[in-house]
Amino acid sequence: MIIYHHAKFLTVNEQNDIFEQLWVQNGRIVYIGPAKEIPADATTVDLQGAYVTPGLIDIHAHVGTWAEVTEEINDANEYSEPFTPLMHALDSVDIRHFSFQHALEGGVTTVQTGPGSANVIGGIWSILKTAGPTLDSRVLVERSGLKGALGENPKNVFGNQYKRKPMTRMAIAQLLRDGFQRANQLQPLEQDEQIKHNTELRPFIEVLRGDMPLRLHCHRADDIMTAIRIAKEFDVQLHLEHCTEGHLIIDAVKNSGFHATLGPYMLTPSKYETRNSTPAIAAMFKEHQIPFAIMTDHPFVPIQYLKYCATEAIRYGLDHDTALKSITINAAKLVQLDHRIGSLEEGKDADFVVWSHPIFETEAKVLQTYVNGQKYYEAE
């Protein structure tokens, strides 16, 4: 038993409680609450007045798959064809990549990572802890979503560079529909066979059955509407990735019932479809009660700057509590892992970050990062 004390523990639970002690055993939180008598056989850690939050969560990144920010050096995009549903994050992730160390330096303990957005259908994402001895030991969800992309990315890669389909948004939509249409035509036993043999229809069947969501990269308002339209057409769960112009059609997004991962913000518009990007969208989504998380899209904003992405949303009107939740418990809820991560509560994984100051203050520095109760980072 290890007991951490002399700190302010921000639980990020439903009541936003702030407590004085955190007890950890076998990688789990066994007590968090007011200070009480410490057992004689416990190990104590005096945090000397620091501030402690849950480990941060980025549910849209390419950690471990993208060597650098350049398109030429990465294992995230399979450029050979626009339709690659069998690509899988776990076949690409390098757990020794420096981005995992950067994540720990920034207090990020969980990431959703996988194929990028060059392809109309890019492949399968996974959710991982940012520390642990092996890849298998880090995996929280092996198949967390089928990643696809609308808009300029697949058009530019395949239409403009390779002079092949898709050259238009019409072709992108047709390619996206194709997998679902073919999967829908199969009888249940035929679908089972497709899953058993891991054919290219397997991911579409899993999405149709509700085993994982469709995760679509969409910036422009019309692309967001196309994503919603296709998801409704096949009655599948959709997660809007970026949703950059969602504030321009905010009622339609709310009425869709789908949720979004917003960002990244700290970039100049790299293409025409991101010209209306604004950190103010987070406050607008909060006002309209649309569930959202905030992302880095690492490496486009480095993973260690996740808290700054939330801070930028605060500068544009988002309240502090929701900003913290957007990179902790709300992110966990959107990937259905809030029973394990996202807040400091009894029974949950002991993923937490020790800060020198309150997290959104300018001086705030990560002092220590813990994953499953083990300290993996300590500032010099």
Side-chain angles (χ1 to χ4, degrees):
M1 174 87 71
I2 303 176
I3 297 176
Y4 301 86
H5 62 139
H6 291 165
K8 291 185 177 179
F9 295 91
L10 283 69
T11 59
V12 198
N13 63 8
E14 290 296 329
Q15 297 76 35
N16 285 323
D17 289 320
I18 300 176
F19 287 131
E20 293 79 42
Q21 280 185 359
L22 175 71
W23 298 24
V24 174
Q25 189 169 33
N26 298 325
R28 295 291 180 93
I29 298 170
V30 295
Y31 173 75
I32 182 165
K36 64 181 184 179
E37 184 176 352
I38 295 175
D41 60 348
T43 300
T44 61
V45 178
D46 187 343
L47 295 177
Q48 301 179 2
Y51 297 80
V52 180
T53 68
L56 307 187
I57 303 168
D58 189 341
I59 60 170
H60 183 125
H62 307 286
V63 173
T65 68
W66 212 302
E68 302 290 351
V69 76
T70 62
E71 288 284 340
E72 290 75 18
I73 310 173
N74 78 76
D75 274 320
N77 287 305
E78 177 54 54
Y79 293 112
S80 58
E81 55 182 302
F83 188 85
T84 59
L86 291 181
M87 303 300 102
H88 196 302
L90 297 188
D91 296 324
S92 178
V93 169
D94 175 9
I95 64 168
R96 295 171 183 82
H97 191 262
F98 61 81
S99 55
F100 284 107
Q101 178 61 28
H102 287 176
L104 295 169
E105 292 170 5
V108 181
T109 56
T110 302
V111 292
Q112 181 168 229
T113 189
S117 301
N119 308 66
V120 177
I121 294 292
I124 304 299
W125 276 9
S126 300
I127 301 175
L128 315 173
K129 294 290 184 77
T130 55
T134 65
L135 178 58
D136 287 347
S137 72
R138 298 186 185 194
V139 175
L140 285 172
V141 183
E142 183 177 332
R143 303 173 70 82
S144 61
L146 175 60
K147 176 67 187 307
L150 304 176
E152 293 180 18
N153 278 23
K155 279 182 59 180
N156 287 338
V157 170
F158 294 98
N160 294 344
Q161 293 183 38
Y162 300 159
K163 305 303 180 186
R164 57 174 295 190
K165 186 177 182 179
M167 293 185 174
T168 64
R169 281 176 163 80
M170 294 182 292
I172 291 171
Q174 181 264 312
L175 285 169
L176 179 56
R177 283 189 173 95
D178 180 66
F180 288 111
Q181 288 170 336
R182 287 190 284 140
N184 249 344
Q185 291 169 0
L186 301 175
Q187 297 300 314
L189 289 178
E190 294 175 312
Q191 292 183 343
D192 292 342
E193 284 296 305
Q194 296 288 319
I195 291 174
K196 177 181 177 181
H197 296 291
N198 196 35
T199 73
E200 67 176 14
L201 291 185
R202 176 188 173 184
F204 296 95
I205 295 167
E206 290 173 315
V207 173
L208 286 167
R209 290 182 173 184
D211 296 332
M212 64 180 178
L214 176 64
R215 301 185 173 279
L216 288 180
H217 161 117
C218 47
H219 288 294
R220 226 168 67 178
D222 56 330
D223 291 326
I224 297 168
M225 292 307 303
T226 296
I228 292 170
R229 185 169 58 253
I230 291 175
K232 294 289 188 181
E233 183 178 329
F234 293 101
D235 191 25
V236 299
Q237 181 186 355
L238 171 68
H239 193 109
L240 299 163
E241 305 294 335
H242 304 294
C243 199
T244 303
E245 290 189 350
H247 58 291
L248 302 181
I249 50 169
I250 200 159
D251 289 336
V253 174
K254 180 177 181 176
N255 292 337
S256 75
F258 299 128
H259 44 242
T261 307
L262 304 176
Y265 307 131
M266 296 185 295
L267 296 168
T268 56
S270 58
K271 46 199 168 188
Y272 181 74
E273 65 187 3
T274 60
R275 70 197 185 282
N276 289 317
S277 175
T278 173
I281 190 174
M284 296 179 197
F285 272 40
K286 166 69 184 303
E287 181 183 352
H288 286 78
Q289 299 181 318
I290 302 171
F292 69 91
I294 289 175
M295 68 162 85
T296 62
D297 198 15
H298 175 91
F300 299 97
V301 170
I303 187 69
Q304 64 268 36
Y305 300 144
L306 177 59
K307 82 127 179 173
Y308 296 108
C309 293
T311 304
E312 190 72 355
I314 291 171
R315 288 206 315 125
Y316 282 79
L318 187 63
D319 64 279
H320 285 228
D321 286 345
T322 304
L324 180 55
K325 288 179 178 179
S326 75
I327 52 175
T328 54
I329 190 61
N330 287 352
K333 287 178 179 178
L334 295 191
V335 292
Q336 299 181 339
L337 284 173
D338 52 303
H339 63 291
R340 286 193 60 178
I341 59 175
S343 61
L344 300 180
E345 298 182 83
E346 293 174 14
K348 290 194 175 184
D349 296 359
D351 297 348
F352 58 96
V353 189
V354 181
W355 303 85
S356 62
H357 295 74
I359 178 173
F360 295 124
E361 287 191 4
T362 304
E363 300 88 351
K365 175 183 179 181
V366 174
L367 301 178
Q368 299 172 350
T369 302
Y370 292 78
V371 179
N372 297 329
Q374 184 171 341
K375 182 169 62 179
Y376 280 97
Y377 171 74
E378 183 163 21
E380 295 180 359

